[in-house]
Structures are given as structure tokens and as C-alpha cells.
Amino acid sequence: MAHSLSAKKRIRQNAKRNARNRWRLRALRTAIRDFLNKLTHGQVPEAKASFQTLQKLIDRSAAKGVIHKNNASRRKSRLNKRLKERADSAKK
């Protein structure tokens, strides 16, 4: 257990940041799950709108340090690829 005041404050700050980052990551995963559900059920216009908000959420998570910037880029790329494949198959 920490004894100095600064160490106790550091523990409090870390716990608060940890909780906030877990919340952000959970919100991100929920948004991704919602987007993928819309894709699998063939709701392409709703999925496109959902993807726009999802991109912002992914970028914000990367900016806050919840996920790495390369991880964010990779997720956006893969999700966009799935959206385009689904949109192309819906046109046929």
C-alpha cells in the first residue's frame, strides 16, 4: 500500500483513468457489434450511417490512447471493406 500522498493520488488517478478507458472500449465494441448486426441483416443504408459514427468513435478512442492508432486504422479499413462488399452484393 502506498504511503505518500502523491502515490495515493496516483493510485486514485490510475483507477479513474482505467475505468474511463474500459468504458470507452466497451462502447467501441458495442458500436462495432451493432454495425456488424446491421450488415448481416442486410440493412446497408443503416450500416453506412452507423459506419460514419463508428469511424468517429474509433478515431476518438485512438486519440485518447484506448487503442493504438494503427489498430484504429486497421479496424476502420476492415470494417469499410466488409461494408463495401455487402453494398456491392446488395446491388446485384
Side-chain angles (χ1 to χ4, degrees), residues 15-87:
K16 194 185 306 183
R17 288 182 181 136
N18 187 351
R20 195 178 304 132
N21 285 341
R22 282 196 346 246
W23 174 82
R24 286 185 178 128
L25 191 59
R26 192 166 50 243
L28 177 63
R29 288 180 180 154
T30 302
I32 290 172
R33 196 175 313 118
D34 290 343
F35 168 74
L36 292 176
N37 280 338
K38 289 177 183 174
L39 271 187
T40 56
H41 290 99
Q43 302 170 343
V44 177
E46 292 89 350
K48 285 184 180 181
S50 178
F51 183 69
Q52 294 299 320
T53 58
L54 183 58
Q55 275 186 314
K56 292 176 187 175
L57 191 60
I58 291 172
D59 287 336
R60 199 174 312 128
S61 296
K64 297 289 184 181
V66 177
I67 59 175
H68 194 272
K69 65 176 186 171
N70 291 350
N71 186 328
S73 179
R74 185 177 65 245
R75 286 183 192 219
K76 289 191 300 184
S77 176
R78 289 180 180 174
L79 292 171
N80 192 26
K81 180 181 175 185
R82 290 178 75 163
L83 178 63
K84 285 184 177 181
E85 287 173 355
R86 190 66 168 172

